[in-house]
Amino acid sequence: MAAKVVACFRGHDWCRNHDLIALRQQGYTPYTRMFDPSFRPKPMRITPRSESREALTALSLVLAANCDYSPDSEYMFEVMLPVEEIARRMGVLHVYESGRKAYDVLLHALRVLEQLDYVVVHRDRDTDSGQNKPVRIFLTERCFTSRGMTVENVREWLHKYRQWAVATGVAESMRDKYARHQL
């Protein structure tokens, strides 16, 4: 299942993504409103810069590869990695000499995907830094349909995945993995 989704995500062209073009025409950037309440949006250039496209592609691939596709799970399409590990797999984790970890590229790309309604992010207060950090990430239906997949295709793949998991006996280990993730 993950291989099929990653293959569809890999071929995605962010320059032709209609949702991203519409978002950029609105002129909204993730951090602008946070720092300036009198902000008036200005239209942005239609195509995102190559750094943004690379970050969105890398994040999408990591999320798709590490998503829980088990239909037996409580919540469908939950990403089964902590945010720090996602940053490490994207190659954007920076560890300072003091031990502080930064992954601003990931956070920015995640906010863009959230604004596009491709992911739902649950944030919670981090005990170490005192900041609200992403704790749980879920892919939405729109994330799949924007990449050219139909809902029927995804349902068919999930059904085949479930049959395979039951036939090979992997379903129990997937439940255990999901329980560890929730802890």
Side-chain angles (χ1 to χ4, degrees), residues 5-16:
V5 174
V6 167
C8 288
F9 280 23
R10 184 168 283 139
H12 183 69
D13 184 8
W14 287 102
C15 291
R16 296 183 181 174

Side-chain angles (χ1 to χ4, degrees), residues 111-146:
R111 286 223 187 251
V112 170
L113 288 180
E114 193 174 16
Q115 290 170 13
L116 293 172
D117 195 28
Y118 291 175
V119 297
V120 174
V121 180
H122 172 71
R123 290 178 173 78
D124 202 5
R125 192 168 267 323
D126 184 25
T127 56
D128 296 336
S129 66
Q131 297 178 347
N132 284 331
K133 293 196 174 182
V135 178
R136 295 177 82 180
I137 303 170
F138 304 90
L139 301 181
T140 64
E141 176 185 315
R142 195 166 175 189
C143 181
F144 298 105
T145 57
S146 69

Side-chain angles (χ1 to χ4, degrees), residues 58-59 62 84-94 102-103 105-106:
L59 177 59
V62 171
E84 184 179 313
E85 184 61 27
I86 293 172
R88 180 174 288 115
R89 291 187 184 191
M90 281 178 64
V92 297
L93 179 66
H94 181 74
Y103 37 84
V105 173
L106 162 70

Side-chain angles (χ1 to χ4, degrees), residues 71-83:
D72 297 331
S73 297
E74 184 178 355
Y75 299 105
M76 290 290 294
F77 308 122
E78 181 176 0
V79 178
M80 302 294 285
L81 286 178
V83 177

Side-chain angles (χ1 to χ4, degrees), residues 14-29 33 39-48 112 115-116:
W14 287 102
C15 291
R16 296 183 181 174
N17 184 305
H18 300 294
D19 298 327
L20 185 59
I21 290 170
L23 181 71
R24 294 180 69 79
Q25 285 175 339
Q26 293 173 6
Y28 180 75
T29 58
R33 268 185 220 268
F39 171 71
R40 296 194 190 270
K42 292 183 275 185
M44 301 166 69
R45 52 184 271 167
I46 298 298
T47 57
V112 170
Q115 290 170 13
L116 293 172

